[in-house]
PDB file of all heavy atoms in Angstrom:
ATOM      1  N   LYS J  66     107.177  83.869 124.764  1.00  0.00           N
ATOM      2  CA  LYS J  66     106.296  83.610 123.618  1.00  0.00           C
ATOM      3  C   LYS J  66     105.049  84.497 123.688  1.00  0.00           C
ATOM      4  O   LYS J  66     104.599  85.045 122.670  1.00  0.00           O
ATOM      5  CB  LYS J  66     105.892  82.140 123.583  1.00  0.00           C
ATOM      6  CG  LYS J  66     107.023  81.197 123.164  1.00  0.00           C
ATOM      7  CD  LYS J  66     106.544  79.750 123.179  1.00  0.00           C
ATOM      8  CE  LYS J  66     107.650  78.811 122.718  1.00  0.00           C
ATOM      9  NZ  LYS J  66     107.217  77.385 122.759  1.00  0.00           N
ATOM     10  N   LYS J  67     104.492  84.652 124.892  1.00  0.00           N
ATOM     11  CA  LYS J  67     103.308  85.502 125.055  1.00  0.00           C
ATOM     12  C   LYS J  67     103.655  86.962 124.759  1.00  0.00           C
ATOM     13  O   LYS J  67     102.884  87.677 124.107  1.00  0.00           O
ATOM     14  CB  LYS J  67     102.764  85.374 126.475  1.00  0.00           C
ATOM     15  CG  LYS J  67     102.152  84.014 126.779  1.00  0.00           C
ATOM     16  CD  LYS J  67     101.692  83.935 128.224  1.00  0.00           C
ATOM     17  CE  LYS J  67     101.126  82.571 128.542  1.00  0.00           C
ATOM     18  NZ  LYS J  67     100.724  82.439 129.979  1.00  0.00           N
ATOM     19  N   THR J  68     104.833  87.386 125.240  1.00  0.00           N
ATOM     20  CA  THR J  68     105.272  88.766 124.997  1.00  0.00           C
ATOM     21  C   THR J  68     105.478  89.002 123.509  1.00  0.00           C
ATOM     22  O   THR J  68     105.071  90.037 122.962  1.00  0.00           O
ATOM     23  CB  THR J  68     106.577  89.057 125.755  1.00  0.00           C
ATOM     24  OG1 THR J  68     106.377  88.841 127.144  1.00  0.00           O
ATOM     25  CG2 THR J  68     107.045  90.475 125.513  1.00  0.00           C
ATOM     26  N   SER J  69     106.098  88.019 122.845  1.00  0.00           N
ATOM     27  CA  SER J  69     106.334  88.129 121.404  1.00  0.00           C
ATOM     28  C   SER J  69     105.014  88.217 120.643  1.00  0.00           C
ATOM     29  O   SER J  69     104.863  89.021 119.709  1.00  0.00           O
ATOM     30  CB  SER J  69     107.147  86.925 120.914  1.00  0.00           C
ATOM     31  OG  SER J  69     107.345  86.978 119.521  1.00  0.00           O
ATOM     32  N   ALA J  70     104.033  87.403 121.056  1.00  0.00           N
ATOM     33  CA  ALA J  70     102.726  87.411 120.387  1.00  0.00           C
ATOM     34  C   ALA J  70     102.030  88.765 120.598  1.00  0.00           C
ATOM     35  O   ALA J  70     101.397  89.303 119.675  1.00  0.00           O
ATOM     36  CB  ALA J  70     101.862  86.279 120.920  1.00  0.00           C
ATOM     37  N   LEU J  71     102.159  89.313 121.813  1.00  0.00           N
ATOM     38  CA  LEU J  71     101.560  90.620 122.095  1.00  0.00           C
ATOM     39  C   LEU J  71     102.198  91.712 121.239  1.00  0.00           C
ATOM     40  O   LEU J  71     101.505  92.602 120.729  1.00  0.00           O
ATOM     41  CB  LEU J  71     101.710  90.965 123.576  1.00  0.00           C
ATOM     42  CG  LEU J  71     100.768  90.242 124.551  1.00  0.00           C
ATOM     43  CD1 LEU J  71     101.155  90.562 125.989  1.00  0.00           C
ATOM     44  CD2 LEU J  71      99.322  90.672 124.297  1.00  0.00           C
ATOM     45  N   MET J  72     103.510  91.665 121.088  1.00  0.00           N
ATOM     46  CA  MET J  72     104.212  92.671 120.283  1.00  0.00           C
ATOM     47  C   MET J  72     103.812  92.570 118.814  1.00  0.00           C
ATOM     48  O   MET J  72     103.636  93.588 118.138  1.00  0.00           O
ATOM     49  CB  MET J  72     105.724  92.505 120.435  1.00  0.00           C
ATOM     50  CG  MET J  72     106.259  92.833 121.827  1.00  0.00           C
ATOM     51  SD  MET J  72     105.827  94.507 122.354  1.00  0.00           S
ATOM     52  CE  MET J  72     106.738  95.475 121.146  1.00  0.00           C
ATOM     53  N   ILE J  73     103.658  91.333 118.331  1.00  0.00           N
ATOM     54  CA  ILE J  73     103.228  91.148 116.936  1.00  0.00           C
ATOM     55  C   ILE J  73     101.807  91.673 116.744  1.00  0.00           C
ATOM     56  O   ILE J  73     101.497  92.351 115.756  1.00  0.00           O
ATOM     57  CB  ILE J  73     103.313  89.657 116.549  1.00  0.00           C
ATOM     58  CG1 ILE J  73     104.779  89.206 116.482  1.00  0.00           C
ATOM     59  CG2 ILE J  73     102.618  89.417 115.202  1.00  0.00           C
ATOM     60  CD1 ILE J  73     104.945  87.712 116.306  1.00  0.00           C
ATOM     61  N   ALA J  74     100.933  91.383 117.719  1.00  0.00           N
ATOM     62  CA  ALA J  74      99.549  91.867 117.642  1.00  0.00           C
ATOM     63  C   ALA J  74      99.512  93.396 117.680  1.00  0.00           C
ATOM     64  O   ALA J  74      98.746  94.026 116.939  1.00  0.00           O
ATOM     65  CB  ALA J  74      98.722  91.299 118.792  1.00  0.00           C
ATOM     66  N   ALA J  75     100.350  93.988 118.558  1.00  0.00           N
ATOM     67  CA  ALA J  75     100.406  95.450 118.639  1.00  0.00           C
ATOM     68  C   ALA J  75     100.902  96.048 117.341  1.00  0.00           C
ATOM     69  O   ALA J  75     100.367  97.066 116.865  1.00  0.00           O
ATOM     70  CB  ALA J  75     101.318  95.865 119.794  1.00  0.00           C
ATOM     71  N   GLU J  76     101.917  95.428 116.753  1.00  0.00           N
ATOM     72  CA  GLU J  76     102.456  95.916 115.475  1.00  0.00           C
ATOM     73  C   GLU J  76     101.403  95.861 114.379  1.00  0.00           C
ATOM     74  O   GLU J  76     101.235  96.804 113.605  1.00  0.00           O
ATOM     75  CB  GLU J  76     103.680  95.092 115.084  1.00  0.00           C
ATOM     76  CG  GLU J  76     104.381  95.585 113.822  1.00  0.00           C
ATOM     77  CD  GLU J  76     105.605  94.760 113.478  1.00  0.00           C
ATOM     78  OE1 GLU J  76     105.992  93.878 114.270  1.00  0.00           O
ATOM     79  OE2 GLU J  76     106.179  94.999 112.403  1.00  0.00           O
ATOM     80  N   ASN J  77     100.658  94.745 114.333  1.00  0.00           N
ATOM     81  CA  ASN J  77      99.609  94.609 113.315  1.00  0.00           C
ATOM     82  C   ASN J  77      98.489  95.618 113.520  1.00  0.00           C
ATOM     83  O   ASN J  77      97.956  96.186 112.553  1.00  0.00           O
ATOM     84  CB  ASN J  77      99.039  93.184 113.343  1.00  0.00           C
ATOM     85  CG  ASN J  77     100.030  92.145 112.836  1.00  0.00           C
ATOM     86  OD1 ASN J  77     100.925  92.476 112.052  1.00  0.00           O
ATOM     87  ND2 ASN J  77      99.879  90.918 113.277  1.00  0.00           N
ATOM     88  N   GLU J  78      98.142  95.852 114.791  1.00  0.00           N
ATOM     89  CA  GLU J  78      97.083  96.816 115.096  1.00  0.00           C
ATOM     90  C   GLU J  78      97.501  98.235 114.700  1.00  0.00           C
ATOM     91  O   GLU J  78      96.691  99.007 114.167  1.00  0.00           O
ATOM     92  CB  GLU J  78      96.737  96.764 116.583  1.00  0.00           C
ATOM     93  CG  GLU J  78      95.512  97.590 116.949  1.00  0.00           C
ATOM     94  CD  GLU J  78      95.032  97.358 118.358  1.00  0.00           C
ATOM     95  OE1 GLU J  78      95.389  96.301 118.939  1.00  0.00           O
ATOM     96  OE2 GLU J  78      94.299  98.209 118.888  1.00  0.00           O
ATOM     97  N   LEU J  79      98.766  98.544 114.962  1.00  0.00           N
ATOM     98  CA  LEU J  79      99.273  99.863 114.589  1.00  0.00           C
ATOM     99  C   LEU J  79      99.296 100.027 113.064  1.00  0.00           C
ATOM    100  O   LEU J  79      99.004 101.112 112.544  1.00  0.00           O
ATOM    101  CB  LEU J  79     100.675 100.085 115.158  1.00  0.00           C
ATOM    102  CG  LEU J  79     100.748 100.276 116.674  1.00  0.00           C
ATOM    103  CD1 LEU J  79     102.201 100.310 117.129  1.00  0.00           C
ATOM    104  CD2 LEU J  79     100.040 101.556 117.085  1.00  0.00           C
ATOM    105  N   LYS J  80      99.638  98.955 112.362  1.00  0.00           N
ATOM    106  CA  LYS J  80      99.663  99.017 110.893  1.00  0.00           C
ATOM    107  C   LYS J  80      98.268  99.292 110.330  1.00  0.00           C
ATOM    108  O   LYS J  80      98.109 100.102 109.415  1.00  0.00           O
ATOM    109  CB  LYS J  80     100.212  97.708 110.324  1.00  0.00           C
ATOM    110  CG  LYS J  80     101.721  97.552 110.466  1.00  0.00           C
ATOM    111  CD  LYS J  80     102.189  96.222 109.883  1.00  0.00           C
ATOM    112  CE  LYS J  80     103.701  96.074 110.005  1.00  0.00           C
ATOM    113  NZ  LYS J  80     104.178  94.757 109.493  1.00  0.00           N
ATOM    114  N   THR J  81      97.259  98.591 110.890  1.00  0.00           N
ATOM    115  CA  THR J  81      95.892  98.810 110.396  1.00  0.00           C
ATOM    116  C   THR J  81      95.398 100.206 110.767  1.00  0.00           C
ATOM    117  O   THR J  81      94.647 100.825 110.023  1.00  0.00           O
ATOM    118  CB  THR J  81      94.926  97.760 110.965  1.00  0.00           C
ATOM    119  OG1 THR J  81      94.937  97.817 112.401  1.00  0.00           O
ATOM    120  CG2 THR J  81      95.317  96.362 110.518  1.00  0.00           C
ATOM    121  N   LEU J  82      95.849 100.692 111.944  1.00  0.00           N
ATOM    122  CA  LEU J  82      95.461 102.041 112.362  1.00  0.00           C
ATOM    123  C   LEU J  82      96.076 103.086 111.438  1.00  0.00           C
ATOM    124  O   LEU J  82      95.412 104.028 111.010  1.00  0.00           O
ATOM    125  CB  LEU J  82      95.903 102.289 113.808  1.00  0.00           C
ATOM    126  CG  LEU J  82      95.489 103.621 114.441  1.00  0.00           C
ATOM    127  CD1 LEU J  82      93.966 103.735 114.507  1.00  0.00           C
ATOM    128  CD2 LEU J  82      96.080 103.749 115.832  1.00  0.00           C
ATOM    129  N   LEU J  83      97.349 102.902 111.108  1.00  0.00           N
ATOM    130  CA  LEU J  83      98.045 103.831 110.200  1.00  0.00           C
ATOM    131  C   LEU J  83      97.447 103.774 108.799  1.00  0.00           C
ATOM    132  O   LEU J  83      97.429 104.783 108.086  1.00  0.00           O
ATOM    133  CB  LEU J  83      99.537 103.497 110.151  1.00  0.00           C
ATOM    134  CG  LEU J  83     100.350 103.875 111.390  1.00  0.00           C
ATOM    135  CD1 LEU J  83     101.745 103.250 111.342  1.00  0.00           C
ATOM    136  CD2 LEU J  83     100.463 105.396 111.508  1.00  0.00           C
ATOM    137  N   ALA J  84      96.955 102.597 108.406  1.00  0.00           N
ATOM    138  CA  ALA J  84      96.356 102.448 107.076  1.00  0.00           C
ATOM    139  C   ALA J  84      94.921 102.943 107.031  1.00  0.00           C
ATOM    140  O   ALA J  84      94.316 103.022 105.961  1.00  0.00           O
ATOM    141  CB  ALA J  84      96.418 100.987 106.634  1.00  0.00           C
ATOM    142  N   GLY J  85      94.369 103.294 108.198  1.00  0.00           N
ATOM    143  CA  GLY J  85      92.985 103.766 108.231  1.00  0.00           C
ATOM    144  C   GLY J  85      91.962 102.643 108.194  1.00  0.00           C
ATOM    145  O   GLY J  85      90.774 102.902 108.012  1.00  0.00           O
ATOM    146  N   GLN J  86      92.413 101.397 108.383  1.00  0.00           N
ATOM    147  CA  GLN J  86      91.483 100.270 108.359  1.00  0.00           C
ATOM    148  C   GLN J  86      90.736 100.129 109.683  1.00  0.00           C
ATOM    149  O   GLN J  86      89.662  99.543 109.749  1.00  0.00           O
ATOM    150  CB  GLN J  86      92.237  98.975 108.042  1.00  0.00           C
ATOM    151  CG  GLN J  86      92.877  98.990 106.665  1.00  0.00           C
ATOM    152  CD  GLN J  86      93.818  97.822 106.450  1.00  0.00           C
ATOM    153  OE1 GLN J  86      94.094  97.059 107.369  1.00  0.00           O
ATOM    154  NE2 GLN J  86      94.331  97.676 105.244  1.00  0.00           N
ATOM    155  N   THR J  87      91.343 100.630 110.762  1.00  0.00           N
ATOM    156  CA  THR J  87      90.705 100.623 112.071  1.00  0.00           C
ATOM    157  C   THR J  87      90.903 101.996 112.710  1.00  0.00           C
ATOM    158  O   THR J  87      91.625 102.847 112.179  1.00  0.00           O
ATOM    159  CB  THR J  87      91.312  99.541 113.000  1.00  0.00           C
ATOM    160  OG1 THR J  87      92.714  99.828 113.174  1.00  0.00           O
ATOM    161  CG2 THR J  87      91.137  98.153 112.411  1.00  0.00           C
ATOM    162  N   GLY J  88      90.295 102.176 113.864  1.00  0.00           N
ATOM    163  CA  GLY J  88      90.450 103.436 114.588  1.00  0.00           C
ATOM    164  C   GLY J  88      89.135 103.890 115.174  1.00  0.00           C
ATOM    165  O   GLY J  88      88.059 103.383 114.811  1.00  0.00           O
ATOM    166  N   GLN J  89      89.209 104.832 116.083  1.00  0.00           N
ATOM    167  CA  GLN J  89      87.995 105.418 116.658  1.00  0.00           C
ATOM    168  C   GLN J  89      88.289 106.847 117.103  1.00  0.00           C
ATOM    169  O   GLN J  89      89.414 107.181 117.446  1.00  0.00           O
ATOM    170  CB  GLN J  89      87.493 104.587 117.834  1.00  0.00           C
ATOM    171  CG  GLN J  89      88.465 104.436 118.989  1.00  0.00           C
ATOM    172  CD  GLN J  89      87.911 103.535 120.087  1.00  0.00           C
ATOM    173  OE1 GLN J  89      87.186 102.574 119.817  1.00  0.00           O
ATOM    174  NE2 GLN J  89      88.227 103.853 121.316  1.00  0.00           N
ATOM    175  N   PHE J  90      87.261 107.668 117.051  1.00  0.00           N
ATOM    176  CA  PHE J  90      87.423 109.057 117.483  1.00  0.00           C
ATOM    177  C   PHE J  90      86.056 109.633 117.844  1.00  0.00           C
ATOM    178  O   PHE J  90      85.006 109.091 117.486  1.00  0.00           O
ATOM    179  CB  PHE J  90      88.101 109.910 116.402  1.00  0.00           C
ATOM    180  CG  PHE J  90      87.309 110.081 115.132  1.00  0.00           C
ATOM    181  CD1 PHE J  90      86.522 111.212 114.931  1.00  0.00           C
ATOM    182  CD2 PHE J  90      87.368 109.121 114.127  1.00  0.00           C
ATOM    183  CE1 PHE J  90      85.805 111.374 113.760  1.00  0.00           C
ATOM    184  CE2 PHE J  90      86.652 109.281 112.958  1.00  0.00           C
ATOM    185  CZ  PHE J  90      85.872 110.421 112.768  1.00  0.00           C
ATOM    186  N   LYS J  91      86.098 110.761 118.579  1.00  0.00           N
ATOM    187  CA  LYS J  91      84.885 111.454 118.987  1.00  0.00           C
ATOM    188  C   LYS J  91      84.709 112.702 118.132  1.00  0.00           C
ATOM    189  O   LYS J  91      85.666 113.421 117.863  1.00  0.00           O
ATOM    190  CB  LYS J  91      84.979 111.849 120.463  1.00  0.00           C
ATOM    191  CG  LYS J  91      84.933 110.678 121.421  1.00  0.00           C
ATOM    192  CD  LYS J  91      85.178 111.128 122.860  1.00  0.00           C
ATOM    193  CE  LYS J  91      84.049 111.995 123.360  1.00  0.00           C
ATOM    194  NZ  LYS J  91      84.228 112.403 124.784  1.00  0.00           N
ATOM    195  N   LEU J  92      83.483 112.929 117.720  1.00  0.00           N
ATOM    196  CA  LEU J  92      83.126 114.111 116.937  1.00  0.00           C
ATOM    197  C   LEU J  92      82.093 114.904 117.707  1.00  0.00           C
ATOM    198  O   LEU J  92      81.022 114.389 118.041  1.00  0.00           O
ATOM    199  CB  LEU J  92      82.573 113.690 115.576  1.00  0.00           C
ATOM    200  CG  LEU J  92      82.006 114.786 114.673  1.00  0.00           C
ATOM    201  CD1 LEU J  92      83.074 115.797 114.287  1.00  0.00           C
ATOM    202  CD2 LEU J  92      81.367 114.184 113.426  1.00  0.00           C
ATOM    203  N   GLY J  93      82.399 116.153 118.020  1.00  0.00           N
ATOM    204  CA  GLY J  93      81.453 117.016 118.698  1.00  0.00           C
ATOM    205  C   GLY J  93      80.653 117.832 117.693  1.00  0.00           C
ATOM    206  O   GLY J  93      81.187 118.234 116.659  1.00  0.00           O
ATOM    207  N   ALA J  94      79.393 118.068 117.975  1.00  0.00           N
ATOM    208  CA  ALA J  94      78.565 118.837 117.045  1.00  0.00           C
ATOM    209  C   ALA J  94      77.476 119.588 117.793  1.00  0.00           C
ATOM    210  O   ALA J  94      76.912 119.073 118.768  1.00  0.00           O
ATOM    211  CB  ALA J  94      77.920 117.917 116.004  1.00  0.00           C
ATOM    212  N   SER J  95      77.199 120.796 117.349  1.00  0.00           N
ATOM    213  CA  SER J  95      76.051 121.527 117.886  1.00  0.00           C
ATOM    214  C   SER J  95      74.774 120.902 117.320  1.00  0.00           C
ATOM    215  O   SER J  95      74.826 120.055 116.416  1.00  0.00           O
ATOM    216  CB  SER J  95      76.147 123.016 117.551  1.00  0.00           C
ATOM    217  OG  SER J  95      76.238 123.219 116.150  1.00  0.00           O
ATOM    218  N   THR J  96      73.634 121.312 117.836  1.00  0.00           N
ATOM    219  CA  THR J  96      72.403 120.556 117.601  1.00  0.00           C
ATOM    220  C   THR J  96      71.970 120.458 116.129  1.00  0.00           C
ATOM    221  O   THR J  96      71.564 119.387 115.683  1.00  0.00           O
ATOM    222  CB  THR J  96      71.247 121.127 118.433  1.00  0.00           C
ATOM    223  OG1 THR J  96      71.166 122.543 118.202  1.00  0.00           O
ATOM    224  CG2 THR J  96      71.471 120.879 119.904  1.00  0.00           C
ATOM    225  N   ILE J  97      72.047 121.551 115.387  1.00  0.00           N
ATOM    226  CA  ILE J  97      71.551 121.496 114.007  1.00  0.00           C
ATOM    227  C   ILE J  97      72.406 120.571 113.142  1.00  0.00           C
ATOM    228  O   ILE J  97      71.873 119.625 112.535  1.00  0.00           O
ATOM    229  CB  ILE J  97      71.465 122.910 113.378  1.00  0.00           C
ATOM    230  CG1 ILE J  97      70.426 123.741 114.119  1.00  0.00           C
ATOM    231  CG2 ILE J  97      71.102 122.820 111.890  1.00  0.00           C
ATOM    232  CD1 ILE J  97      69.021 123.184 114.088  1.00  0.00           C
ATOM    233  N   PRO J  98      73.724 120.765 113.054  1.00  0.00           N
ATOM    234  CA  PRO J  98      74.506 119.805 112.262  1.00  0.00           C
ATOM    235  C   PRO J  98      74.477 118.395 112.856  1.00  0.00           C
ATOM    236  O   PRO J  98      74.436 117.408 112.118  1.00  0.00           O
ATOM    237  CB  PRO J  98      75.928 120.387 112.272  1.00  0.00           C
ATOM    238  CG  PRO J  98      75.960 121.335 113.407  1.00  0.00           C
ATOM    239  CD  PRO J  98      74.574 121.873 113.546  1.00  0.00           C
TER     240      PRO J  98
END
């Protein structure tokens, strides 16, 4: 049951990531911009 819940949570997280509702990334920039 715990494994099933984890898989469902992972699937939902991936769906939101693919939809652009969640996510994180690093942006590098030189000083002026």
Side-chain angles (χ1 to χ4, degrees):
K66 288 179 178 179
K67 291 177 182 177
T68 301
S69 178
L71 284 173
M72 293 303 295
I73 292 171
E76 184 179 354
N77 290 335
E78 188 170 340
L79 289 173
K80 285 180 179 178
T81 58
L82 184 62
L83 287 168
Q86 297 170 353
T87 61
Q89 60 183 34
F90 65 96
K91 291 174 67 177
L92 173 63
S95 58
T96 52
I97 295 299

